[in-house]
Amino acid sequence: MSKPLVAIVGRPNVGKSTLINGLAQRRVSIVEDIPGVTRDRIYCDVKWLDKEFTLIDTGGIEFRNEKDQISSGIRQQAELAMEEADVILFVVDARTGMTSDDEIIAGLLRKTGKPVVLAVNKVDSDNQEMDVYEFYSLGLGDPIGISAVNRLNFGDLLDRITEGFPNQKEEESEDIIRTAIVGRPNVGKSTLINSLLGYERSLVADEMGTTRDAVDSLWTYKGKTFILVDTAGMRKKSKIDEPLEKYSVIRSIRAIDNCDVAIFVIDAEDKLTEQDKKIIGYIHEAGKGLILFVNKWDSIAKDEHTINEFEKEIRNGLPFAPYAPMLFGSAKTKQRIHRLGDLIYNVAEQQNLRVSTSVLNDLLEDAKMINPPPAHSGRVAKIYYMTEVGVRPPTFVMFVNDANLIHFSYVRFIENKLREAFSFEGTPIRIVVRSKKDGGDD
């Protein structure tokens, strides 16, 4: 399941960006003493004890200058974040005290009906306790005095935020394959989901960008349960002007981050575009399972060579993902889409495939016989053993005498041998080369 979403909102310059950097324990937001520095929403994952959530940073909300396009855009971004969030973290400033804008924002938050955590920032000492009491009048429950700069009371704040969130272990135990349907706008993602479900779950129209949000649908196939996530189409960044479209792109990226398997939909009429390559590259780097569905195949004039020519062209454009199964079909006519259920299940199993260390090392010995480890500057690489250390994606550590002696081409050779032996269809593989000290290796 998706991680819960927490939106940080408040006036400009109350310390929201400093707070998100502190909660994330890394620099995520630009911090300057200039109102409006954070213009777009920024997402990051936060872990507290056995719970995880996604934090959304927003720009400061102002109401004084309605004609200011930047202020208006920031306010719209924040309102969208509030609609999207499961919990809203409202940050106010103890030094400035309560303002009319704080009261207006509090009124908007009460109307959402969502849980609100009120954090009074810049409370750097016990002497400022009275400054916190003033904010009870906002009618949002007990305020928590914090210092984002000094990270004071972060534990109490995180306890309040995550109250009621599911434990991470509980989420991981669910035997449901989360599948994101991804691609550029208007390639047929919603039509594909409707065809798989057998009824119209997602709005379908010829207008680009009909699907604004990521929409979840439960799908049962051959006794197996899947969650299908219909995402908004992702355009090039330069073509995204409307705040609502920026919001849609972020939702699509989140859908990829939270899925087990991504079905990337390619428009057969357009073939593979540069934007397609970038999105598929993101799926690959995220370590997700990948299926390529070439849609609108019914609209292509074909002969006996067409499908091979299409596949060759697409494979050549994706040299980093030769493992991805490719299916040609039509969401509209339901051509070949019945194969997707088995493909998704198989890819998910491959993502979780474990190979014993003894079997891996037998394979490694055979590989070394075919292609001995390289030498560099008179030094010969020695490979001691390999073991699998993780899944989703399958991740292996190969111990050698000196990692600098192992060229990436040799790692690719080992990956190919792993795929020949165990397939790993539809999933990337990670191979980490690690030096292991051994007195006899030199």
Side-chain angles (χ1 to χ4, degrees), residues 354-370:
R354 290 190 178 273
V355 183
S356 70
T357 300
S358 60
V359 171
L360 282 174
N361 287 302
D362 287 343
L363 179 144
L364 197 57
E365 289 302 317
D366 291 341
K368 288 191 290 184
M369 291 288 290
I370 297 168

Side-chain angles (χ1 to χ4, degrees), residues 38-65:
T38 306
R39 295 187 180 180
D40 294 327
R41 283 171 298 150
I42 299 171
Y43 283 67
C44 70
D45 289 334
V46 176
K47 185 172 183 179
W48 174 243
L49 303 177
D50 56 355
K51 297 178 180 180
E52 287 189 9
F53 61 92
T54 299
L55 201 57
I56 319 171
D57 190 14
T58 67
I61 306 175
E62 290 184 282
F63 296 92
R64 290 185 297 276
N65 191 352

Side-chain angles (χ1 to χ4, degrees), residues 304-322:
E304 65 271 21
H305 304 295
T306 307
I307 196 165
N308 291 332
E309 290 170 356
F310 261 72
E311 179 163 4
K312 183 178 179 182
E313 184 175 341
I314 293 171
R315 295 287 184 200
N316 287 341
L318 302 170
F320 56 86

Side-chain angles (χ1 to χ4, degrees), residues 41-186:
R41 283 171 298 150
I42 299 171
Y43 283 67
C44 70
D45 289 334
V46 176
K47 185 172 183 179
W48 174 243
L49 303 177
D50 56 355
K51 297 178 180 180
E52 287 189 9
F53 61 92
T54 299
L55 201 57
I56 319 171
D57 190 14
T58 67
I61 306 175
E62 290 184 282
F63 296 92
R64 290 185 297 276
N65 191 352
E66 294 293 334
K67 294 182 180 179
D68 183 351
Q69 290 185 348
I70 292 177
S71 296
S72 177
I74 290 172
R75 189 164 64 251
Q76 186 177 5
Q77 286 284 316
E79 288 169 356
L80 288 167
M82 286 188 280
E83 286 180 22
E84 187 179 357
D86 299 296
V87 171
I88 301 168
L89 175 57
F90 181 23
V91 184
V92 294
D93 188 335
R95 294 177 191 169
T96 305
M98 191 169 62
T99 68
S100 59
D101 278 359
D102 289 332
E103 292 175 337
I104 295 171
I105 295 169
L108 292 174
L109 295 180
R110 286 194 296 270
K111 290 178 182 177
T112 67
K114 295 187 176 182
V116 178
V117 177
L118 178 58
V120 183
N121 192 25
K122 305 180 185 179
V123 178
D124 302 310
S125 69
D126 294 337
N127 298 330
Q128 294 176 270
E129 188 175 350
M130 295 300 295
D131 296 334
V132 176
Y133 294 152
E134 175 185 9
F135 292 94
Y136 272 98
S137 62
L138 291 176
L140 294 172
D142 296 336
I144 302 175
I146 65 166
S147 171
V149 171
N150 299 316
R151 303 189 180 188
L152 294 178
N153 283 346
F154 271 25
D156 291 343
L157 179 63
L158 285 163
D159 283 341
R160 183 83 65 84
I161 290 170
T162 59
E163 188 177 12
F165 285 178
N167 295 337
Q168 186 183 4
K169 291 181 180 178
E170 291 174 1
E171 290 193 1
E172 291 175 352
S173 65
E174 296 187 16
D175 189 23
I176 296 177
I177 301 172
R178 192 169 183 86
T179 307
I181 313 298
V182 191
R184 291 178 296 106
N186 216 34

Side-chain angles (χ1 to χ4, degrees), residues 101-371:
D101 278 359
D102 289 332
E103 292 175 337
I104 295 171
I105 295 169
L108 292 174
L109 295 180
R110 286 194 296 270
K111 290 178 182 177
T112 67
K114 295 187 176 182
V116 178
V117 177
L118 178 58
V120 183
N121 192 25
K122 305 180 185 179
V123 178
D124 302 310
S125 69
D126 294 337
N127 298 330
Q128 294 176 270
E129 188 175 350
M130 295 300 295
D131 296 334
V132 176
Y133 294 152
E134 175 185 9
F135 292 94
Y136 272 98
S137 62
L138 291 176
L140 294 172
D142 296 336
I144 302 175
I146 65 166
S147 171
V149 171
N150 299 316
R151 303 189 180 188
L152 294 178
N153 283 346
F154 271 25
D156 291 343
L157 179 63
L158 285 163
D159 283 341
R160 183 83 65 84
I161 290 170
T162 59
E163 188 177 12
F165 285 178
N167 295 337
Q168 186 183 4
K169 291 181 180 178
E170 291 174 1
E171 290 193 1
E172 291 175 352
S173 65
E174 296 187 16
D175 189 23
I176 296 177
I177 301 172
R178 192 169 183 86
T179 307
I181 313 298
V182 191
R184 291 178 296 106
N186 216 34
V187 294
K189 300 183 297 297
S190 296
T191 304
L192 177 60
I193 286 197
N194 291 340
S195 294
L196 290 171
L197 294 173
Y199 60 91
E200 191 161 320
R201 173 64 177 84
S202 298
L203 179 65
V204 177
D206 289 334
E207 180 187 352
M208 278 194 177
T210 302
T211 305
R212 295 287 193 182
D213 284 343
V215 182
D216 291 6
S217 302
L218 205 63
W219 179 45
T220 302
Y221 174 79
K222 292 185 178 179
K224 304 176 185 71
T225 303
F226 305 85
I227 290 177
L228 303 178
V229 185
D230 184 11
T231 62
M234 293 191 279
R235 302 190 198 181
K236 290 183 180 178
K237 192 171 183 180
S238 61
K239 294 184 179 179
I240 302 170
D241 301 319
E242 189 185 347
L244 204 56
E245 285 212 35
K246 291 180 181 178
Y247 156 82
S248 297
V249 170
I250 295 171
R251 289 297 302 264
S252 296
I253 290 172
R254 282 193 61 249
I256 293 170
D257 289 340
N258 291 323
C259 79
D260 302 302
V261 177
I263 297 177
F264 188 85
V265 182
I266 298 171
D267 189 328
E269 296 172 349
D270 296 337
K271 297 187 180 179
L272 192 70
T273 69
E274 287 301 314
Q275 182 68 353
D276 290 339
K277 295 176 187 177
K278 290 177 182 177
I279 302 170
I280 294 169
Y282 183 87
I283 296 168
H284 171 79
E285 291 299 323
K288 304 300 180 178
L290 173 62
I291 296 168
L292 303 174
F293 181 69
V294 183
N295 193 28
K296 306 181 185 179
W297 192 239
D298 55 318
S299 65
I300 300 297
K302 295 176 279 290
D303 58 30
E304 65 271 21
H305 304 295
T306 307
I307 196 165
N308 291 332
E309 290 170 356
F310 261 72
E311 179 163 4
K312 183 178 179 182
E313 184 175 341
I314 293 171
R315 295 287 184 200
N316 287 341
L318 302 170
F320 56 86
Y323 54 82
M326 192 181 307
L327 184 63
F328 293 80
S330 169
K332 188 175 181 180
T333 67
K334 300 188 179 182
Q335 180 188 19
R336 297 194 183 95
I337 68 166
H338 63 282
R339 300 184 188 177
L340 281 173
D342 292 328
L343 266 179
I344 297 167
Y345 184 75
N346 181 59
V347 169
E349 283 204 318
Q350 297 292 298
Q351 275 255 298
N352 289 282
L353 182 62
R354 290 190 178 273
V355 183
S356 70
T357 300
S358 60
V359 171
L360 282 174
N361 287 302
D362 287 343
L363 179 144
L364 197 57
E365 289 302 317
D366 291 341
K368 288 191 290 184
M369 291 288 290
I370 297 168
N371 184 7

